[in-house]
Amino acid sequence: MAKNKLKRFREINSFPNVIQPQDKYPVSDYFLKGNWSAGHFGNSFPIILELGCGKGEYALELARTSPEKNFIGIDIKGERLWKGAKTALEEGLTNLAFLRIQAERINHFFGPDEVSGIWLTFPDPQPRKPRRKKRLTSPAFLDRYQRILVKGSPIHLKTDNKDLFEYTLEVVRENNHKLLTYTDDLYNKGTNINEPLVKEIQTYYEKIYLSQNLPIHYLKFLLNT
Ligand SMILES: C[S@@+](CC[C@H](N)C(=O)[O-])C[C@H]1O[C@@H](n2cnc3c(N)ncnc32)[C@H](O)[C@@H]1O
C-alpha cells in the first residue's frame, strides 16, 4: 500500500469526526441509532445525509452554510473520507461527521424520523442490469430511506449519468413519489431550479464531468408516504 495511503488510514482512526464501526456487516443496531443529534452532535438539529459522499465536498459546504443543521457524509472508502474529515477538523465544523459504512446497512444506523434530507451526489450508476438493485435510487434503497426519513423530507440526486437519471425519474413516477423539480442539464438549462447551492457546490467527480462538457442532471423528489 502506498505510504501516503497508509498514513491516512492511521490518521483517520484518530479523527473524532469519523465513525468507522468495526462490524462491517452488523446484525444489530449501532448504539447511536435514533440518537445521533444528541448523542454525537450534542444538539437537537435535524440531520441531513450525503450518501456516497467521497471526499465530502457537498457535506462540507452544506455544513458551512447551514450551522443549524447536522450533516453526515457516508461512504465506504476511508481514504476518500479522510479528505473531507481533515478539512472539517481544520475548519472547526462541529455539525459535520463522516460515517464509513455500506449504504445498504443504513437502517442499522438511523431510526424512524431521524433524517431530514438525503443528497445522492454522483452515485455509481451500476449500468449492468443485475446490479440495478444496487443503485442508490432503486426501489429497495427508497424503501430503506422511507424507514429513516421524516415525512416530507427531500431526496436530491445529482448525476452525469443519463441512464441513472432516466431510471430514477421512472422509479419516482411508477411508485407515485412526488417529483418536485428536475433538469437534464443543470448549468445550461436549469433556470427553473431554485434549490439553494445546487449550482454553487461542485464535487470532485462533478468537476471532472464538467471539464469533459458533460451535462449534469438533477432531480428532487419526496417519497409518497
Ligand atoms: C462516483 S463516486 C462520487 C463521490 C462524490 N460524491 C463525488 O461526487 O465526488 C461514488 C462514491 O460512492 C461510494 N459508494 C459506492 N457504493 C457505495 C455504497 N454501497 N455504500 C457507500 N458508499 C458507496 C464510492 O466509494 C465512491 O466514493
Side-chain angles (χ1 to χ4, degrees):
M1 200 183 288
K3 218 167 139 195
N4 226 1
K5 204 167 175 181
L6 270 177
K7 187 173 163 249
R8 289 179 177 189
F9 273 129
R10 265 199 309 272
E11 253 184 50
I12 202 174
N13 288 330
S14 66
F15 285 176
N17 59 351
V18 179
I19 294 104
Q20 301 187 83
Q22 294 309 307
D23 187 2
K24 273 198 175 160
Y25 302 100
V27 285
S28 56
D29 293 340
Y30 191 62
F31 78 100
L32 282 173
K33 177 175 173 174
N35 195 33
W36 279 90
S37 286
H40 180 80
F41 295 103
N43 59 39
S44 56
F45 300 160
I47 292 176
I48 313 293
L49 303 182
E50 182 186 5
L51 296 187
C53 69
K55 300 181 184 194
E57 291 89 350
Y58 232 93
L60 277 164
E61 188 57 19
L62 290 173
R64 288 179 191 117
T65 52
S66 297
E68 74 299 345
K69 291 179 185 164
N70 297 321
F71 296 87
I72 302 179
I74 295 179
D75 203 288
I76 196 58
K77 298 221 170 121
E79 208 208 347
R80 291 186 181 168
L81 291 183
W82 175 90
K83 179 87 175 85
K86 177 109 178 147
T87 307
L89 288 176
E90 284 168 357
E91 293 185 19
L93 289 171
T94 54
N95 61 333
L96 173 57
F98 292 91
L99 176 60
R100 187 178 177 197
I101 59 164
Q102 287 274 3
E104 283 80 351
R105 318 226 167 255
I106 205 167
N107 297 111
H108 279 302
F109 291 86
F110 298 93
D113 297 328
E114 189 164 21
V115 174
S116 299
I118 295 180
W119 281 88
L120 306 170
T121 50
F122 301 87
D124 291 339
Q126 307 288 3
R128 289 181 47 230
K129 208 165 179 185
R131 291 185 64 85
R132 280 195 175 169
K133 58 179 182 303
K134 292 199 166 281
R135 287 179 164 173
L136 293 189
T137 54
S138 68
F141 266 98
L142 298 192
D143 182 56
R144 292 181 177 110
Y145 306 154
Q146 188 268 322
R147 285 150 59 197
I148 60 174
L149 280 173
V150 175
K151 194 172 157 54
S153 300
I155 300 174
H156 309 257
L157 170 69
K158 258 178 137 178
T159 180
D160 63 302
N161 189 280
K162 190 172 185 318
D163 184 39
L164 178 66
F165 175 68
E166 287 175 354
Y167 165 87
T168 306
L169 281 175
E170 206 177 298
V171 170
V172 167
R173 286 178 180 138
E174 277 182 1
N175 293 280
N176 296 319
H177 300 309
K178 188 171 181 195
L179 186 60
L180 297 177
T181 189
Y182 70 102
T183 174
D184 65 359
D185 190 348
L186 181 63
Y187 296 102
N188 294 309
K189 299 197 276 182
T191 46
N192 61 322
I193 306 288
N194 298 316
E195 181 64 27
L197 296 179
V198 75
K199 295 176 197 162
E200 282 76 14
I201 305 176
Q202 275 120 29
T203 71
Y204 175 76
Y205 273 86
E206 182 169 7
K207 283 180 184 150
I208 295 175
Y209 302 135
L210 285 170
S211 73
Q212 297 167 353
N213 286 323
L214 290 172
I216 303 302
H217 313 306
Y218 168 73
L219 70 89
K220 174 179 169 184
F221 63 100
L222 304 178
L223 296 178
N224 68 9
T225 49

